[in-house]
Amino acid sequence: MKGRSKRLTQLLTRRMIVVQLITLTACFVLVLIPMIVLPAMSGTRNVHPPAPSVMAAIGESVHFGIDRILLLQPTPSLSDMAAEHPDFWFIAGTADGQEISFGQVPSEPDRIRPALDHLVSLEILMDNNGGTANLVVRSLDYPGGPVKLAFSGGPTLGLSKLIPSISLAVMLAIFFFLALASIIAIPRFINREMRGLDAAAKAAGTINIGQRGIRIPEQGLPAEVLTLVHAVNEALERLDDAHALRERFLADAAHELRTPLAVLTARIETAQPFEGQDHLLSDVVRLSALTTQLLDMQRLDLSEQRLEAVDLVAIGTEVVADLAPLAAAAGYQLELEAPSAPVLILGESVSVERAITNLARNAISHAENRGSIRVKVSANGAVTVSDDGPGIPETDRARIFEPFYRVRPSRSGAGLGLTLVEAIVKKHRGAISVGASATGGAEFAIRFQAWPGKPEISAS
């Protein structure tokens, strides 16, 4: 589930990046280029604003003399400008008709001479001997009064010349910057919005039939996913309720069967001898054992166990002592191998004792009444029960814990002993395995959790 969540996030990230890049491309092609870039290029293609140095050089060279006479005294900067730009010229005039000029003035400005007094600022494109030139009109304020200027051919600002050549580069740079920002920002945005998916996937991976009450956390999930997760949690709650109802029904049914079976057993045992009495009594005993194991399983599912420190050595000793007469009567030698010091595990004593007892009884029933049955308690919290019987074929070991599964037909046993053992081990969050003993018989190994020395916890 966690891997699927990660792949989903990566897929959404890639798709959003592609959509963002397509949107940016369409925006530049369909909007920015027609509306901004092309008009700017066409509007500035033939316009070259004068450089500020032109007005400064003219203003230093033109001044009023005695009796407010307009004079021209070219400065070095004006002379240098004229040398660099041979087409440079200007006309300066006052409101009372005075006029001076500099450079080769063409005839075209004569058309606007009458209007100079009425112009404050002007830039036009005019014919110049088969070509074009910019004509600029400006006004200078002197202590002697305002002076109108008309000039052309001087140095111009380089920006307008560069715009047509660099506009594409600028556009591509902006596009690259926005695309890079999208590639960086979108994954961060998606990871932030979907950060709760990993926790939800982890919780979903723990859902199983043996561990109920699990819900997928809804905190931190995007709104698009939250609705689905909420619906899944509601479905899990309904399943838990239905499962609990079925468990209670089975437990009640098994409990109700115990009394009539006990009565039936007593009546058969006290009845006058009749043909098949022993077989009938054996079948009733087997049915009673099955009912007891069903009841034990349902109680195990419904109960809230308090896990505490349990001594495996003490439990193993008690189990061997209780089953020794039964094992001896069946022809076995029941042995216990355990450390002298206690081996503490995290568990519930009644359930742990039941699990070890069921394994030992299983060996007594199926080891063909020969050899030894060994119960070994290890210091690492493991219990091993092995025998010298025919063992369990490898093809059957994967199914040995299924309810009512039998390796060999047998009239004894109810078929739920190993199933109950596995359920108890799972309740204790341990592990159980089946293999072959050193003599070729069956060997069951249970690994419990070591006692951590912490307060009691509840196992559901």
Side-chain angles (χ1 to χ4, degrees):
M1 288 295 293
K2 187 175 182 180
R4 293 178 181 176
S5 171
K6 185 176 181 179
R7 289 194 297 269
L8 175 60
T9 303
Q10 293 174 345
L11 178 61
L12 290 176
T13 302
R14 288 195 296 267
R15 289 186 176 180
M16 289 192 67
I17 290 176
V18 171
V19 171
Q20 187 76 358
L21 292 178
I22 293 175
T23 303
L24 289 174
T25 304
C27 179
F28 271 94
V29 173
L30 301 178
V31 180
L32 293 182
I33 292 179
M35 294 184 62
I36 299 176
V37 178
L38 291 180
M41 292 174 63
S42 61
T44 61
R45 183 170 53 235
N46 297 316
V47 175
H48 306 288
S53 60
V54 177
M55 293 292 295
I58 296 175
E60 294 173 356
S61 301
V62 176
H63 60 90
F64 285 97
I66 301 174
D67 297 332
R68 199 175 169 272
I69 298 175
L70 189 62
L71 300 175
L72 172 62
Q73 292 181 346
T75 61
S77 60
L78 183 64
S79 300
D80 294 341
M81 186 183 302
E84 294 179 5
H85 302 274
D87 294 335
F88 173 66
W89 60 267
F90 72 84
I91 301 173
T94 61
D96 57 4
Q98 298 186 71
E99 183 178 289
I100 58 174
S101 63
F102 179 84
Q104 298 294 327
V105 182
S107 59
E108 286 78 5
D110 291 338
R111 302 175 184 176
I112 65 168
R113 287 175 185 263
L116 284 179
D117 293 339
H118 307 287
L119 298 176
V120 177
S121 178
L122 175 68
E123 294 182 23
I124 62 174
L125 192 66
M126 66 178 186
D127 293 332
N128 185 19
N129 297 325
T132 58
N134 289 332
L135 176 63
V136 181
V137 176
R138 292 288 188 269
S139 179
L140 291 177
D141 291 329
Y142 289 92
V147 176
K148 293 296 179 66
L149 298 175
F151 59 89
S152 179
T156 57
L157 292 177
L159 181 60
S160 61
K161 295 181 180 180
L162 291 176
I163 286 179
S165 60
I166 69 172
S167 58
L168 181 61
V170 172
M171 181 186 69
L172 292 178
I174 295 175
F175 178 83
F176 175 77
F177 174 77
L178 293 177
L180 184 63
S182 299
I183 293 174
I184 296 175
I186 288 177
R188 289 180 177 271
F189 173 77
I190 292 180
N191 289 332
R192 183 185 63 191
E193 289 296 318
M194 306 188 74
R195 60 185 178 273
L197 279 183
D198 288 340
K202 184 178 180 180
T206 62
I207 297 175
N208 60 74
I209 190 65
Q211 190 171 2
R212 295 178 297 277
I214 297 177
R215 299 294 183 267
I216 301 176
E218 300 180 3
Q219 295 79 11
L221 291 177
E224 295 80 2
V225 182
L226 182 60
T227 303
L228 175 62
V229 172
H230 184 69
V232 171
N233 284 335
E234 290 183 344
L236 290 174
E237 185 175 358
R238 292 193 296 270
L239 289 175
D240 285 347
D241 293 341
H243 192 276
L245 182 63
R246 183 181 67 86
E247 295 287 335
R248 284 192 293 270
F249 170 77
L250 291 176
D252 293 342
H255 180 75
E256 293 298 327
L257 283 173
R258 297 183 68 180
T259 300
L261 285 174
V263 173
L264 181 59
T265 301
R267 288 179 178 178
I268 294 175
E269 290 176 342
T270 57
Q272 294 294 330
F274 59 90
E275 184 178 356
Q277 183 180 22
D278 293 338
H279 292 294
L280 182 60
L281 183 60
S282 177
D283 290 338
V284 173
V285 171
R286 181 179 174 185
L287 183 59
S288 179
L290 174 61
T291 303
T292 300
Q293 289 185 348
L294 281 174
L295 183 60
D296 290 341
M297 289 192 66
Q298 300 310 312
R299 284 175 175 172
L300 182 66
D301 286 338
L302 294 176
S303 64
E304 289 285 338
Q305 297 187 82
R306 301 296 298 180
L307 301 185
E308 56 187 2
V310 175
D311 183 9
L312 275 182
V313 176
I315 292 180
T317 303
E318 185 175 353
V319 170
V320 170
D322 291 343
L323 295 182
L326 180 63
Y332 301 102
Q333 181 178 354
L334 188 58
E335 303 174 355
L336 173 66
E337 180 182 348
S340 56
V343 176
L344 298 181
I345 64 167
L346 185 66
E348 197 270 326
S349 59
V350 175
S351 298
V352 173
E353 181 180 353
R354 188 181 306 162
I356 299 175
T357 300
N358 281 5
L359 291 180
R361 283 182 175 274
N362 185 74
I364 293 173
S365 300
H366 300 289
E368 296 185 350
N369 306 99
R370 67 174 186 267
S372 300
I373 297 176
R374 296 167 292 278
V375 178
K376 179 180 178 181
V377 177
S378 301
N380 60 356
V383 177
T384 304
V385 179
S386 58
D387 58 56
D388 298 330
I392 301 173
E394 292 187 11
T395 55
D396 293 316
R397 292 174 187 174
R399 302 186 58 190
I400 196 68
F401 298 105
E402 294 180 7
F404 309 112
Y405 181 79
R406 298 179 183 275
V407 177
R408 304 173 188 87
S410 174
R411 291 186 57 83
S412 63
L416 289 176
L418 294 180
T419 304
L420 181 59
V421 172
E422 185 185 40
I424 292 174
V425 173
K426 286 184 177 180
K427 277 280 189 177
H428 286 72
R429 300 171 190 153
I432 184 171
S433 61
V434 58
S437 66
T439 60
E443 180 176 278
F444 290 87
I446 302 176
R447 173 67 65 85
F448 292 101
Q449 295 185 33
W451 168 247
K454 297 179 181 180
E456 297 179 0
I457 63 174
S458 175
S460 60

